[in-house]
Amino acid sequence: MYLYHLTLQKQSAINVSIFGNFSAPRVQELVVARGSILELLRVEADGKLKSIASVDVFGAIRSLMPFRLTGSNVDYVVVGSDAGRITILEFDGDKSMFKKVHRETFGRSGCRRIVPGEHLAADPRGRAVMIAAMEKQKFVYILNRDSSARLTISSPLESHKAHTVTFHVVGVDVGFENPQFAALEVEYSELEEGEEYEKMLTFYELDLGLNHLVRKDSTPVHARSNHLVAVPGGADGPGGVLVCAEDMVSWRHIEGGADVCVPLPRCEGTDDAAPILITASTTHKRKGVFFFLLQSEHGDLYKVTMDYEKGEVRGLDVVYFDTVPVGAAINMLRLGFLFVAAENGNHVLYQFQSLGDDDDGSVVRRTRERVYFKRRPLQNLVLIDEIESLHPLTDLTVKDLAREGTPQLYALGGCKRNAATRVLRHGLPMAEMAVSELPANPTAVWTVKRTAADEFDTYMVVAFVNATLVLSIGDTVEEVSEAQSGFFGTARTIAVHQIGDDSVLQVLPSGLRNIRADKRVNEWRAPANKVIEHAAVNSHQIVIALGGGELYYFEVDPSGQFSEVAKKEVGRNVLCLDMSPVPENRRRARYLAIGDADTVRVLSLDPDNCMQSLALQSVPSPPSSLALIEMQCEAERNARGTLFLNIGLQDGVLLRTVLDNITGELTDTRRRFLGPRPVKLSKITVQGEPALLALSARPWLCYAFQNKLHLSPLSYMRLDSAASFCSEQCSEGVVAISGGTLRIIVTERLGELFHQSELPLSYTPRKVVDVTDSDRSLLVSIEAEHRTVSETRRVEAGGAMEVEAHAAGEEDEDEVNWEYEQKIVPPTGAIGSWASCIRLFDPTENETLQLIELQDDEAAVTICTCTFAARRGETFVVVGTVKSLVPAPRSHSGGVLHVYVIGSDDNGASMLQFVHKTEVEDVPGALCPFQGRILVGVGKLLRIYDLGKKKMLRKCENKSFPSMVRSILTQGDRIIVGCIAHSVLFAKYSRGENLIHIFADDVAPRWITTCCFLDFDTIAGGDKFGNVFILRLPKRVSLRSRVKGLLKISVLTTFLLLETCFLFCLFFCHCLLPPPLQKSNAIRHAVLISTRTSCIRLLPIDSLIGQPDCHLPFLFEQTQQRVAKHLIVRRRAHLTRILWCKFVPAKYRRSRMVTAKRPSRFKVDARHLPISRVIPLHNHIPRMHVHHRVPQIVQYIQLLGCLLCDRIRQRELVIQRQGAVKMLERLAKVRHHEATPVPF
């Protein structure tokens, strides 16, 4: 079986980042690795990070290193991956893509201990590269250039040593002597159990003359050393390396010398016994000056400088610099920027305000005494830009809570102070610059420059039904009079454009007005009894369409005067028209496109064959707008790009056809449905390139990004008209009309599929559930943080410190409480102490309605909503917590089940009302509602609880599960249990016996992280190693109510995603599919796969179509609602009637029903309901397994039946209630070979 999956949201976590000049000299750029994606980022002049190119390498990128040959001014990228190869890439600026220069194989694929790829180091002088494994193997490649200045690579030189673990590798700066590399290593071959190991700093030297790699020197260092930083050498510095260990940093050199070591400053109020570990570093080097920035695991930055003379280091100075998010990597650019690739949350770009030379008392100067500092707001850095990141993504739900017609993704992400609930909406993000109310609803808007030499727009023209409003664009947008602008204001404007050198053309229904720079006006009047309906204008050409199908073509001279060139009778009313862009170094556009009731024609504007028809295309609906635009796409890499004819139809369809630049022929027509409203097209500019804005039920943007065409919806309200906008404050914007308002908006972060909005959280989020009712859409989330002081205690501690500050007479109270208010680093608690809370919030308003703090070191681990049979009509929220949990070695003080009910306060606001809590002996790892009760996984136990007055009542229990219960799924009486280390098990609940019976398990153990139903017998799941699998219960097991022994589940397929899958979600996905799949009505539902690194993928479940014994599920809320609309249910005493149609031949198609005259018997008949009560059903009916029930649709029918969508002819089926399931199973067995999956 082969499955198709589509990446919706690429991985946002960055595991490696480097900086250099990759596309051109003196251009500071970043190359980041996001799992398998390599991306080039550039810092623009305004300080914003811009994505230049992105490529999927289809492998795990483990390490990156910039490399520059001696005498070169452009850097290469050396990549270490899980492919068992070293790859050298060069960025091609003309094609905006990475180009492979060399790829050398040295080992097997996969992330293995002894296969190099984990560590990379380059010689600072650009002569060699070392690639090392976590254990044993190291290779060195010599890089040089040939006679054609092309990069060459040598055969690898080995320096392997068995039983040696490598922690870090760097290239040592030794000038132009033989290249050297330094490595932190531990040899464990002779270690006894419990014996302390010795960590060594080993120097390797590459002898260029002998072409040989040798171990030059090896000296012991601190046992907790973990990080190396190369020190500039040769004429730039003393050389050697900085060795970072716990609580200290030291300088070492291969030639020995005095051991220079200083402790790291420590934050006040932290435990002195807790070590400080350096996790990332960066170096700033200029001629004669250099310094280092080291970052600790708490986010504190330390600036390290060296006092040296003639190569002899006399001491190190370490000073606290600032506190930023903890980074997987930090990079200091020469332009004065600091990029932090955060481990959790958004990645940030800072700009240096100062270099931290002010002595605030936190400087360690050549001493071993401990120095303390106080964390403060950013003083040396200022935040410039952020890259949104969901990492780590802990939970995700897909719902249309905002009732927008398109589902939103509600994601829990971040960690500690970066935690947030993010709402992902399908569409490009837009920034709103200004909004202004207008006196009435306008029809169109334009912007125009006063002269051709102007850089910015001068006027904004707004057209109404019978008037025109002119606004001037400057520091503010103000209305100008007719005398000041020269525009005619008492008539509707059809088009406005700057023509000639210093003239502006206004097209009115009555004629043309040429407004000169000195406010003189030249007019051209339309013929008698004729009005201008449409117009297309550029700087030197004018085409107008009059009523009745007359076309007039004018040309404009440099002075702004226009003269009639040609006239053409079309014979049909022209509904829209547009001219092609003017080619470079030309004065005329070559083509004119016009649209009538059912065709679109392309006419020539060349003087030799002016107004002759070149091509014709029929359209299924009358066109409402045309746009000829030239855009760069992947297939065309020439300077001119491809000329596209875009046709917006009145039925909401956008057609895009390629127009040949030479012959004018139309080819390769593609279509996309944008909405139920007519499509209106507007040409704008995005990042200096032409783009197209299509307005329908929602705005869409067609633009070229990284040499690919994108058509994406905008995450913004419906717009009626739009035009490009350019001013000093906004160089590339859009002015648009929405109803009676005028709006100026700007596009942000091109290439993204979702727009994010966030609600900050207190702690790391764990789970989220929705408690949507008819009045309001709400979410409930649980948050928990280990070794963290709770919010309540933190506020109390902050208040106590404030009182002490007042008593001491300190004036700067904000400085004292800043640590608590801003939560730069949450206070660290003892092991086993937890801060946790339950949050009720409104995701549509990003507003927290209620926050419940948990006490006694309880950590919330799971949550679910359910309804209990004893209290129908009420929605309950059950939260499972564990007390004093220690993750490793695992220990706890028991678990608790908290029960809340959704109620309201005195003001009618929704709130969680506490009911009671129940203690359990182990961790409640999973919760699931089940037949008016709740299933709880308590450690290795599976229990059924019911609601009691004072606590939960235990009703049933199974103790046969091999490991902790991780997830629970139910469908009818079937229970799917995911064990944390033993895959999934199929169980069944017997209500009569009150037993949970396990009847099938997986063929192999799996470390389950998530799973979901595909149909009654099929599930999809993922494990913590990145495997995605689909399991199916065999027919011989599925059709039996009881089996002897434990049977095995069949594995349909499995594939590797390289990332830990933690959430599978089944939902209606048609709006998120690419255009080719949207054309197929068969693809309607999909599994949403989300990973810990915030990568979101879409797996259409209809990929199973065509496989034996695979059916579409009947488990979706949308399908249930659609079927429920076509069901008529009436209850009279013991009479229940269900009507459906399209299940029977034509003569019996008008009615069909099930009649239950007694609770114990029912029969199928087709003659009891009036035709007037028949509601037609959709033509496509899903055929599914007969044991798919619909209790959500007909809740009060307690028969053991289902909708049998097979070929039922004119016969009556008398089924005993006790034997209903067996009879239906026999029917399914007989008819199973006839059932084929048909999409709903």
Side-chain angles (χ1 to χ4, degrees):
M1 177 184 293
Y2 298 96
L3 299 178
Y4 170 84
H5 72 273
L6 169 72
T7 301
L8 296 182
Q9 172 83 17
K10 65 182 180 181
Q11 180 177 326
S12 57
I14 296 177
N15 55 312
V16 190
S17 68
I18 57 175
F19 72 98
N21 310 121
F22 302 103
S23 62
R26 300 182 179 276
V27 178
Q28 293 292 306
E29 294 164 325
L30 295 160
V31 172
V32 300
R34 304 173 182 264
S36 63
I37 296 176
L38 198 65
E39 187 174 9
L40 178 68
L41 303 175
R42 180 181 299 161
V43 181
E44 296 294 304
D46 57 355
K48 301 295 183 180
L49 282 170
K50 177 183 177 182
S51 178
I52 304 300
S54 179
V55 60
D56 195 336
V57 302
F58 300 102
I61 300 176
R62 305 170 68 185
S63 55
L64 295 175
M65 184 60 59
F67 181 85
R68 179 179 298 188
L69 288 172
T70 303
S72 178
N73 53 12
V74 177
D75 294 314
Y76 296 92
V77 181
V78 185
V79 183
S81 66
D82 64 342
R85 296 170 171 175
I86 182 172
T87 306
I88 302 178
L89 304 176
E90 180 184 14
F91 186 76
D92 189 338
D94 297 333
K95 298 181 179 180
S96 295
M97 61 179 295
F98 288 97
K99 183 174 63 177
K100 177 179 64 69
V101 180
H102 288 288
R103 184 173 58 195
E104 299 293 325
T105 304
F106 50 72
R108 299 176 62 186
S109 62
C111 296
R112 307 172 187 271
R113 286 193 310 167
I114 63 172
V115 177
E118 184 67 22
H119 304 289
L120 266 177
D123 174 41
R125 304 297 175 177
R127 296 170 293 176
V129 171
M130 172 180 278
I131 184 168
M134 297 179 63
E135 185 177 347
K136 184 182 178 180
Q137 293 189 7
K138 295 180 181 67
F139 290 107
V140 171
Y141 291 87
I142 301 175
L143 302 178
N144 209 333
R145 57 167 62 91
D146 58 12
S147 58
S148 302
R150 294 177 298 185
L151 183 70
T152 61
I153 187 170
S154 69
S155 300
L157 302 176
E158 302 177 357
S159 181
H160 304 334
K161 187 175 183 181
H163 307 293
T164 302
V165 177
T166 303
F167 291 85
H168 201 210
V169 176
V170 295
V172 182
D173 192 350
V174 293
F176 287 97
E177 299 179 1
N178 285 332
Q180 293 182 2
F181 301 92
L184 279 176
E185 300 176 344
V186 170
E187 184 180 357
Y188 62 89
S189 60
E190 299 179 358
L191 280 179
E192 300 293 339
E193 185 177 355
E195 183 180 353
E196 185 70 20
Y197 61 85
E198 186 179 30
K199 188 169 290 186
M200 309 296 291
L201 175 63
T202 305
F203 289 91
Y204 295 85
E205 184 177 88
L206 172 63
D207 193 324
L208 295 176
L210 300 177
N211 196 26
H212 187 58
L213 181 66
V214 297
R215 293 168 60 95
K216 188 72 172 180
D217 184 57
S218 185
T219 58
V221 293
H222 194 280
R224 298 295 185 266
S225 300
N226 69 302
H227 191 79
L228 297 177
V229 183
V231 178
D236 300 323
V241 294
L242 291 180
V243 182
C244 302
E246 289 182 353
D247 298 325
M248 59 180 295
V249 58
S250 60
W251 174 78
R252 294 297 182 95
H253 199 277
I254 190 173
E255 297 178 357
D259 183 11
V260 181
C261 179
V262 295
L264 294 172
R266 178 177 290 275
C267 179
E268 294 181 358
T270 58
D271 185 8
D272 289 345
I276 301 175
L277 193 68
I278 299 298
T279 58
S281 64
T282 184
T283 305
H284 176 73
K285 183 179 71 172
R286 290 184 179 273
K287 292 184 178 180
V289 179
F290 65 88
F291 66 88
F292 313 95
L293 281 183
L294 311 179
Q295 187 183 41
S296 71
E297 58 183 339
H298 301 298
D300 299 322
L301 290 176
Y302 301 98
K303 180 184 176 183
V304 180
T305 56
M306 305 185 71
D307 183 10
Y308 69 97
E309 184 177 358
K310 296 182 180 179
E312 179 181 354
V313 177
R314 293 181 292 189
L316 298 175
D317 294 342
V318 183
V319 59
Y320 167 68
F321 193 75
D322 263 329
T323 301
V324 297
V326 179
I330 60 175
N331 305 107
M332 194 175 352
L333 282 67
R334 293 184 179 180
L335 297 176
F337 294 99
L338 177 68
F339 176 71
V340 180
E343 288 185 352
N344 305 302
N346 296 344
H347 313 295
V348 288
L349 180 69
Y350 297 97
Q351 187 174 26
F352 284 89
Q353 284 187 318
S354 63
L355 296 179
D357 296 329
D358 299 334
D359 189 354
D360 58 355
S362 62
V363 182
V364 180
R365 298 186 185 277
R366 286 163 278 180
T367 178
R368 294 181 180 270
E369 297 180 359
R370 178 73 67 187
V371 175
Y372 295 88
F373 66 89
K374 183 181 295 184
R375 293 193 179 101
R376 46 174 168 73
L378 292 177
Q379 179 174 310
N380 302 307
L381 301 171
V382 58
L383 180 63
I384 296 296
D385 194 17
E386 284 187 325
I387 300 178
E388 292 180 340
S389 173
L390 300 174
H391 179 71
L393 191 59
T394 57
D395 199 9
L396 183 73
T397 184
V398 184
K399 294 284 183 180
D400 186 13
L401 301 182
R403 296 177 174 87
E404 298 175 351
T406 302
Q408 302 91 45
L409 278 64
Y410 297 90
L412 301 184
C415 183
K416 296 183 180 179
R417 68 167 184 266
N418 297 320
T421 298
R422 300 176 189 263
V423 183
L424 280 67
R425 288 181 169 85
H426 184 215
L428 284 175
M430 301 293 293
E432 195 173 77
M433 307 295 291
V435 179
S436 177
E437 294 290 336
L438 295 174
N441 290 347
T443 58
V445 63
W446 301 270
T447 56
V448 63
K449 299 177 180 178
R450 178 72 267 184
T451 65
D454 289 346
E455 182 180 359
F456 305 112
D457 295 326
T458 306
Y459 296 118
M460 184 187 303
V461 182
V462 183
F464 296 89
V465 176
N466 54 3
T468 299
L469 176 67
V470 181
L471 305 172
S472 65
I473 302 175
D475 295 336
T476 60
V477 178
E478 299 177 349
E479 183 179 355
V480 295
S481 64
E482 183 176 341
Q484 294 174 329
S485 63
F487 285 89
F488 189 69
T490 58
R492 179 174 65 92
T493 298
I494 296 176
V496 174
H497 202 279
Q498 194 277 326
I499 60 174
D501 294 334
D502 57 356
S503 300
V504 176
L505 178 71
Q506 181 184 15
V507 182
L508 301 172
S510 59
L512 308 178
R513 286 172 52 87
N514 182 11
I515 307 170
R516 308 297 295 271
D518 54 3
K519 302 300 185 293
R520 289 182 302 158
V521 177
N522 297 330
E523 294 190 11
W524 179 88
R525 293 287 181 180
N529 300 324
K530 296 286 186 178
V531 295
I532 300 176
E533 295 182 349
H534 305 282
V537 187
N538 62 28
S539 299
H540 300 92
Q541 294 167 291
I542 305 169
V543 179
I544 58 174
L546 278 64
E550 293 185 41
L551 291 179
Y552 285 82
Y553 173 44
F554 303 86
E555 289 192 354
V556 183
D557 59 21
S559 63
Q561 297 292 335
F562 51 84
S563 57
E564 182 178 337
V565 176
K567 176 183 175 182
K568 184 179 179 65
E569 289 284 348
V570 180
R572 307 179 69 179
N573 286 334
V574 176
L575 302 180
C576 50
L577 72 163
D578 189 46
M579 277 190 291
S580 63
V582 180
E584 190 176 359
N585 300 325
R586 297 287 187 92
R587 288 178 53 85
R588 296 185 182 92
R590 294 194 58 188
Y591 304 111
L592 171 70
I594 62 173
D596 52 39
D598 55 4
T599 59
V600 173
R601 310 182 203 182
V602 177
L603 307 179
S604 174
L605 294 180
D606 285 343
D608 298 336
N609 56 351
C610 188
M611 288 294 178
Q612 290 187 9
S613 180
L614 300 178
L616 182 144
Q617 178 173 340
S618 61
V619 291
S621 175
S624 57
S625 182
L626 297 176
L628 283 163
I629 188 170
E630 193 174 66
M631 304 180 72
Q632 193 79 21
C633 63
E634 188 176 16
E636 292 285 341
R637 300 199 182 277
N638 53 9
R640 295 188 59 183
T642 305
L643 183 60
F644 293 101
L645 170 60
N646 296 272
I647 308 171
L649 304 182
Q650 293 185 7
D651 60 359
V653 174
L654 174 65
L655 302 179
R656 190 185 71 197
T657 303
V658 176
L659 177 61
D660 191 279
N661 280 304
I662 306 300
T663 63
E665 295 180 353
L666 297 175
T667 58
D668 191 17
T669 301
R670 305 187 183 189
R671 56 184 294 144
R672 181 75 177 267
F673 179 72
L674 304 186
R677 297 171 59 90
V679 178
K680 188 173 183 179
L681 305 177
S682 301
K683 299 178 184 179
I684 62 173
T685 302
V686 174
Q687 291 188 352
E689 298 293 333
L692 185 68
L693 193 62
L695 308 179
S696 182
R698 65 183 303 185
W700 293 71
L701 181 65
C702 180
Y703 61 98
F705 182 70
Q706 295 179 357
N707 287 331
K708 293 182 180 180
L709 285 181
H710 298 259
L711 179 60
S712 303
L714 301 182
S715 184
Y716 201 68
M717 64 179 61
R718 182 176 61 85
L719 303 177
D720 301 320
S721 180
S724 61
F725 179 82
C726 181
S727 67
E728 294 184 7
Q729 294 78 18
C730 179
S731 59
E732 284 187 354
V734 176
V735 55
I737 292 171
S738 178
T741 60
L742 185 69
R743 301 171 180 270
I744 299 176
I745 55 179
V746 179
T747 58
E748 292 184 341
R749 297 187 297 277
L750 298 179
E752 296 187 3
L753 188 62
F754 295 103
H755 165 53
Q756 299 182 17
S757 60
E758 66 176 43
L759 172 68
L761 303 178
S762 303
Y763 316 113
T764 300
R766 305 295 175 173
K767 297 286 184 181
V768 64
V769 295
D770 70 287
V771 289
T772 304
D773 54 18
S774 58
D775 299 330
R776 199 171 187 182
S777 301
L778 303 176
L779 294 177
V780 181
S781 66
I782 54 175
E783 308 163 28
E785 198 72 61
H786 188 217
R787 300 191 65 182
T788 300
V789 180
S790 66
E791 195 74 25
T792 304
R793 297 178 184 176
R794 188 178 302 142
V795 171
E796 292 175 356
M801 292 187 64
E802 186 174 351
V803 172
E804 293 177 3
H806 277 292
E810 299 179 6
E811 297 180 358
D812 194 1
E813 300 172 7
D814 293 337
E815 186 73 12
V816 175
N817 293 306
W818 182 86
E819 178 181 357
Y820 297 92
E821 295 173 358
Q822 301 296 325
K823 297 190 298 182
I824 284 298
V825 177
T828 303
I831 296 178
S833 64
W834 288 81
S836 184
C837 68
I838 305 170
R839 185 184 300 268
L840 175 68
F841 61 96
D842 185 355
T844 59
E845 301 293 336
N846 279 349
E847 176 187 6
T848 298
L849 303 179
Q850 187 181 9
L851 186 66
I852 302 173
E853 287 277 354
L854 300 179
Q855 305 298 326
D856 302 329
D857 291 327
E858 287 189 58
V861 293
T862 185
I863 185 174
C864 82
T865 60
C866 60
T867 57
F868 291 101
R871 296 174 63 174
R872 294 187 181 276
E874 294 183 283
T875 302
F876 291 84
V877 177
V878 182
V879 180
T881 66
V882 59
K883 294 182 179 180
S884 304
L885 176 65
V886 178
R890 189 179 182 85
S891 65
H892 56 82
S893 301
V896 181
L897 297 178
H898 296 255
V899 181
Y900 299 87
V901 64
I902 302 296
S904 58
D905 57 12
D906 297 337
N907 298 324
S910 300
M911 64 176 298
L912 295 176
Q913 297 176 352
F914 178 75
V915 179
H916 53 62
K917 63 180 180 180
T918 305
E919 294 188 356
V920 293
E921 65 273 19
D922 209 336
V923 180
L927 302 173
C928 182
F930 180 70
Q931 298 182 359
R933 301 176 181 179
I934 186 170
L935 279 168
V936 182
V938 182
K940 297 181 180 180
L941 310 178
L942 181 63
R943 291 176 180 169
I944 297 179
Y945 280 93
D946 203 349
L947 184 68
K949 292 184 178 181
K950 295 185 178 180
K951 65 176 184 179
M952 302 290 288
L953 305 178
R954 187 191 309 177
K955 297 296 183 180
C956 182
E957 181 180 77
N958 188 301
K959 301 180 180 180
S960 304
F961 294 95
S963 59
M964 179 179 174
V965 177
R966 179 68 173 80
S967 63
I968 304 174
L969 300 174
T970 63
Q971 182 67 19
D973 290 338
R974 181 167 293 179
I975 305 172
I976 310 297
V977 180
C979 292
I980 196 169
H982 290 81
S983 191
V984 296
L985 295 93
F986 280 65
K988 183 178 181 180
Y989 173 66
S990 299
R991 181 176 288 273
E993 301 175 3
N994 194 27
L995 290 177
I996 299 175
H997 172 66
I998 303 174
F999 63 89
D1001 67 347
D1002 198 359
V1003 295
R1006 307 176 194 272
W1007 288 78
I1008 288 291
T1009 56
T1010 182
C1011 60
C1012 74
F1013 268 113
L1014 293 187
D1015 62 23
F1016 192 70
D1017 293 331
T1018 311
I1019 63 168
D1023 61 21
K1024 71 175 186 178
F1025 302 108
N1027 297 298
V1028 176
F1029 50 86
I1030 295 180
L1031 308 177
R1032 185 166 181 80
L1033 199 64
K1035 283 188 288 186
R1036 61 186 178 86
V1037 179
S1038 177
L1039 297 179
R1040 298 182 189 177
S1041 59
R1042 275 296 183 93
V1043 294
K1044 294 182 179 180
L1046 205 60
L1047 302 179
K1048 297 298 180 181
I1049 308 170
S1050 302
V1051 180
L1052 295 185
T1053 186
T1054 180
F1055 59 93
L1056 183 65
L1057 285 183
L1058 297 174
E1059 302 172 74
T1060 302
C1061 306
F1062 78 98
L1063 181 70
F1064 276 33
C1065 179
L1066 200 61
F1067 79 112
F1068 183 79
C1069 70
H1070 191 263
C1071 61
L1072 297 180
L1073 291 174
L1077 294 183
Q1078 286 189 0
K1079 296 179 182 179
S1080 173
N1081 290 327
I1083 308 295
R1084 304 304 294 270
H1085 296 88
V1087 176
L1088 197 69
I1089 306 175
S1090 52
T1091 64
R1092 185 70 62 186
T1093 54
S1094 72
C1095 182
I1096 302 176
R1097 290 183 170 90
L1098 202 66
L1099 178 66
I1101 61 168
D1102 300 53
S1103 302
L1104 300 176
I1105 291 180
Q1107 301 299 326
D1109 198 27
C1110 291
H1111 298 262
L1112 291 182
F1114 193 61
L1115 305 175
F1116 314 112
E1117 181 182 355
Q1118 291 85 352
T1119 306
Q1120 293 170 1
Q1121 292 174 355
R1122 293 173 65 183
V1123 174
K1125 292 179 181 179
H1126 305 286
L1127 293 177
I1128 293 181
V1129 179
R1130 291 196 292 178
R1131 187 174 185 180
R1132 299 174 183 173
H1134 296 293
L1135 180 64
T1136 303
R1137 298 178 178 179
I1138 305 176
L1139 166 72
W1140 68 86
C1141 58
K1142 292 289 185 183
F1143 289 4
V1144 293
K1147 63 179 180 178
Y1148 294 105
R1149 194 169 291 171
R1150 300 300 299 272
S1151 63
R1152 193 74 172 176
M1153 75 175 181
V1154 175
T1155 304
K1157 294 185 177 180
R1158 292 195 301 272
S1160 60
R1161 300 171 67 87
F1162 71 91
K1163 65 180 181 178
V1164 179
D1165 197 19
R1167 297 169 294 179
H1168 296 282
L1169 212 63
I1171 295 179
S1172 61
R1173 302 301 305 275
V1174 176
I1175 301 177
L1177 196 62
H1178 196 276
N1179 291 330
H1180 300 291
I1181 301 298
R1183 297 170 181 172
M1184 65 204 77
H1185 288 286
V1186 294
H1187 32 261
H1188 285 180
R1189 308 179 194 180
V1190 283
Q1192 297 88 348
I1193 300 176
V1194 191
Q1195 296 183 1
Y1196 57 84
I1197 298 179
Q1198 299 299 328
L1199 300 175
L1200 296 178
C1202 67
L1203 294 178
L1204 182 59
C1205 303
D1206 210 341
R1207 298 184 179 94
I1208 302 178
R1209 301 301 181 186
Q1210 305 174 42
R1211 54 181 164 177
E1212 293 186 356
L1213 304 177
V1214 180
I1215 305 174
Q1216 296 288 340
R1217 182 175 183 180
Q1218 292 80 3
V1221 174
K1222 294 183 179 179
M1223 177 64 73
L1224 292 174
E1225 288 173 355
R1226 285 199 296 269
L1227 285 173
K1229 190 173 182 180
V1230 172
R1231 296 290 182 179
H1232 193 273
H1233 66 280
E1234 299 181 2
T1236 56
V1238 180
F1240 193 86

